Amino acid sequence: MPDVSPFPVIHTQAATVSRNTSRPILLVGFQHQGNLGLGYLASTLRQHGYSVIICDIEAPPDQIVATALQSNPIIIGFSLIFQFYILQYQRIISMLRQAGVDCHFTMGGHFPSLSHIQTLNMVPELDSVVRFEGEMTLLELADVIGNDGDWRAVPGIAFRAENGTADGIATTPMRSLVDDLDLLPYPDRNYEPETAIGHKAIPLLASRGCARTCSFCSIQTFYRAAPGKIVRTRKPALVVEEMRSLYLDRGTKIFLFQDDDFPLFGPVWRRWAATFVSELHRSGLSSRVIWKMNCRADSVDADVFASLRDAGLYLVYMGLESGNEEGLKTLHKQVTVEQNLRAVRLLKQVGLLFEFGFMLFDPGSTLDSVRANLNFLRTILADGCAAAVFCRMLPYDGTPIKDELERTGRLKGDIVKPDYDFLDPRVNALYASLSGIVDVWGWIHGYRALSPQLNWVSNEIAIVERMCPGLPDLPELKQTVRRLTKASNEILFEVVEDLLNIAINGGTTTWTNARLDVYRRQFLDELLDARNTFVDRHQTALLDSLEIDALLPINEPAIA
Ligand code: B12
Ligand code: SF4
């Protein structure tokens, strides 16, 4: 039987030196929904003998400072995965220094990797930035610092240099991306996971990297800037083995694949997916667990998705992004409107729930393109299958579109709020009036907003359909949620349309924030009432569905 569970220890340059593990390493990051980056860093360090403490960046700052003072770490590693959090990190980092914490401070993540100079300039208390995938670099940094070695020679970092560079920042040779993801230990998951209708939902990865080149996305540049293979898939049998251990040890029945683009596109990844499906069936998990993944519209195929559905797939997140050809070109999606429409049609046909990313506005927006986007949303959501969500494209650091806006003198704002104006002033006015009237934080954005709540209840229904098939009242609840979703979408679309017509023909709108808030509250009240009544009525069956069936077939994965 192949060796699947123990992880061979991967070595760094410093692996041969004796390791000083007497002091812990403190990691600070955004923990909501479980942070896989921090998880992999922590498990790699632990595998090599270090003790690791993880603090949530959203914990009270005093608590983070107290933990640092008490634990006397060798390094504090900050994980910045959302660039707009940089000020929050800045504040905590300077509090730590003021409190006398004098160990090595480093930071990693997309923004620090791609914009290391800005990061070091904005956060002067940092000693270094770890660039790109950080497992091996952080380990080596700890090894070298623990032995009072020259950390400035560790590959894969940036730091302030007194001389020799024009901008005062030096970089060491880049470290290659992790070649074989299966050599990494399972990520640390020592936190209370999110639950959906009582079921734990745990994030995991089957691959890293994305082969596509969307202009607004920092993932493609992140995985291209570092040397090494851009997309790396794990062995399907080992992914299933991780799921199996999470099922048995943690009672996990919902798995959230956070892969940027789940391996499905093209013949090689289709084969990968087929093997994954057969491993799930072989392990006995396909009838016991459900899972969600992210993919592009051009990966959707009726037969493939039917087989994924039969192996537990219940929710698909698709980055549709635009509903007009010009917009798709600006965003360099390399899909057509028809492909987007087709993907949605096929998912509905196969009976899969879907959520989507959509940018009503992008830097090339015109009044016509906004109307086309609106019509697109109306088409795909006409049956109330999902609540409308949309946003304005934001030019994140490290993206081709940000560089283009900068080159053409259109980039505005700063790292926390990067922005731009549309070329047609009427689109600017439309966007401003729309954000003023639709309190998007109450309707579209934010965990408690209406659209996410509607989608959340649809998600719960899809879970119950799979975990407790045949429960009475479920079809009625589903119908109610669809009706509410449809009505909520229609109001949102009416507002956009009204403001769009005003942007073209002039006039004033009768929509106000207060009027919308009345609708919003009505929808939310009805939604919560229907959902809670259902849960109350079926508590016993829902609780029973949380039980774990430990009688899985003995798993002897065939490693490809
Ligand atoms: C999962 C996820 C989420 C989860 C977060 C879960 C969590 N706590 O981590 C949820 C769903 C909450 C989420 C929300 C959002 N997300 Co999100 N998310 C992701 C996603 C898909 C995967 C993250 C992940 O697990 N990666 C896998 C791990 C292994 O990789 P990693 O995080 O990069 O970590 C490695 C390295 O970066 C490095 N590293 C990272 N930290 C550190 C620290 C140290 C000390 C060191 C040494 C190294 C290091 O080493 C790690 C291991 O190799 C990423 C895309 C991506 N590929 O990263 C987007 C991404 C991070 N999200 C993004 C965005 C925009 C959002 C939202 C704004 C979306 C929205 N419109 O609402 C919100 C913001 C939430 C908020 N609070 O404001 C953007 C961020 C863009 C930016 N430049 O800021 C990303 C990059 C996607 C994209 N390109 O658009 N997201
Ligand atoms: S948006 Fe998605 S498909 Fe496009 S480059 Fe980013 S991760 Fe890949």
Side-chain angles (χ1 to χ4, degrees), residues 83-84 86-87 111 122 394-397 402 411-420:
Q83 69 184 64
F84 35 82
I86 194 158
L87 299 181
F111 177 76
M122 282 183 81
L394 292 179
Y396 291 127
D397 259 56
K402 183 213 154 195
L411 188 69
K412 290 183 18 179
D414 54 27
I415 281 157
V416 180
K417 273 197 175 162
D419 207 358
Y420 54 91

Side-chain angles (χ1 to χ4, degrees), residues 229-417:
K229 198 171 166 207
I230 298 169
V231 181
R232 290 131 305 141
T233 48
R234 294 176 58 196
K235 290 191 182 65
L238 297 184
V239 178
V240 172
E241 181 54 28
E242 183 176 358
M243 294 167 80
R244 189 171 181 271
S245 72
L246 286 164
Y247 174 82
L248 290 173
D249 302 343
R250 302 274 305 261
T252 309
K253 288 192 182 180
I254 303 180
F255 294 92
L256 309 173
F257 281 97
Q258 300 295 14
D259 304 40
D260 301 310
D261 187 23
F262 196 78
L264 286 172
F265 187 76
V268 174
W269 289 336
R270 285 271 156 94
R271 274 200 298 281
W272 186 97
T275 315
F276 178 59
V277 163
S278 55
E279 286 297 332
L280 277 169
H281 287 307
R282 215 151 69 87
S283 68
L285 285 177
S286 54
S287 55
R288 293 169 171 88
V289 306
I290 55 175
W291 46 282
K292 171 236 162 186
M293 54 83 169
N294 313 318
C295 72
R296 289 167 49 97
D298 52 6
S299 297
V300 180
D301 168 276
D303 291 341
V304 173
F305 275 65
S307 80
L308 297 173
R309 177 203 58 206
D310 295 344
L313 176 66
Y314 84 103
L315 171 61
V316 176
Y317 176 89
M318 267 192 307
L320 297 175
E321 315 305 1
S322 185
N324 72 95
E325 303 296 352
E326 268 317 299
L328 290 168
K329 262 191 215 124
T330 305
L331 302 171
H332 206 251
K333 276 303 288 185
Q334 297 183 299
V335 292
T336 60
V337 175
E338 182 42 41
Q339 278 175 301
N340 272 348
L341 289 170
R342 182 176 166 276
V344 171
R345 252 191 334 262
L346 290 180
L347 289 180
K348 288 185 189 180
Q349 211 173 295
V350 171
L352 283 164
L353 182 67
F354 77 98
E355 292 180 357
F356 60 95
F358 196 81
M359 306 187 203
L360 189 64
F361 296 89
D362 65 62
S365 284
T366 60
L367 294 176
D368 285 345
S369 76
V370 178
R371 193 178 294 282
N373 279 348
L374 177 64
N375 291 339
F376 175 87
L377 288 177
R378 277 198 157 123
T379 307
I380 63 168
L381 303 177
D383 55 359
C385 60
V389 283
F390 52 76
C391 64
R392 166 198 181 102
M393 194 229 75
L394 292 179
Y396 291 127
D397 259 56
T399 61
I401 209 153
K402 183 213 154 195
D403 294 346
E404 177 62 12
L405 287 167
E406 196 161 31
R407 197 185 59 76
T408 52
R410 290 177 63 195
L411 188 69
K412 290 183 18 179
D414 54 27
I415 281 157
V416 180
K417 273 197 175 162

Side-chain angles (χ1 to χ4, degrees), residues 449-460:
L450 178 60
S451 284
Q453 297 265 21
L454 285 162
N455 283 336
W456 181 255
V457 178
S458 293
N459 177 45
E460 289 185 329

Side-chain angles (χ1 to χ4, degrees), residues 209-220 224 260-261 295-296 319 321 331-333:
C210 175
R212 314 310 284 265
T213 51
C214 304
S215 62
F216 58 92
C217 177
S218 56
I219 288 162
Q220 53 127 333
R224 269 180 184 75
D260 301 310
D261 187 23
C295 72
R296 289 167 49 97
E321 315 305 1
L331 302 171
H332 206 251
K333 276 303 288 185

Side-chain angles (χ1 to χ4, degrees), residues 27 30-38 40-41 58 76-85 106-111 113 130 132-135 138 205 208 216-219 222-223 258-260 294 396-397 445 447:
L27 299 176
F30 182 77
Q31 273 289 65
H32 183 70
Q33 293 188 19
N35 184 322
L36 285 168
L38 284 186
Y40 274 109
L41 294 167
E58 308 215 284
I76 304 187
F78 300 90
S79 174
L80 180 69
I81 57 172
F82 308 122
Q83 69 184 64
F84 35 82
Y85 274 40
T106 192
M107 185 181 269
H110 284 227
F111 177 76
S113 296
V130 168
F132 308 103
E133 288 179 339
E135 286 89 349
L138 185 60
L205 289 175
R208 286 191 190 176
F216 58 92
C217 177
S218 56
I219 288 162
F222 181 87
Y223 290 108
Q258 300 295 14
D259 304 40
D260 301 310
N294 313 318
Y396 291 127
D397 259 56
H445 297 299
Y447 295 111

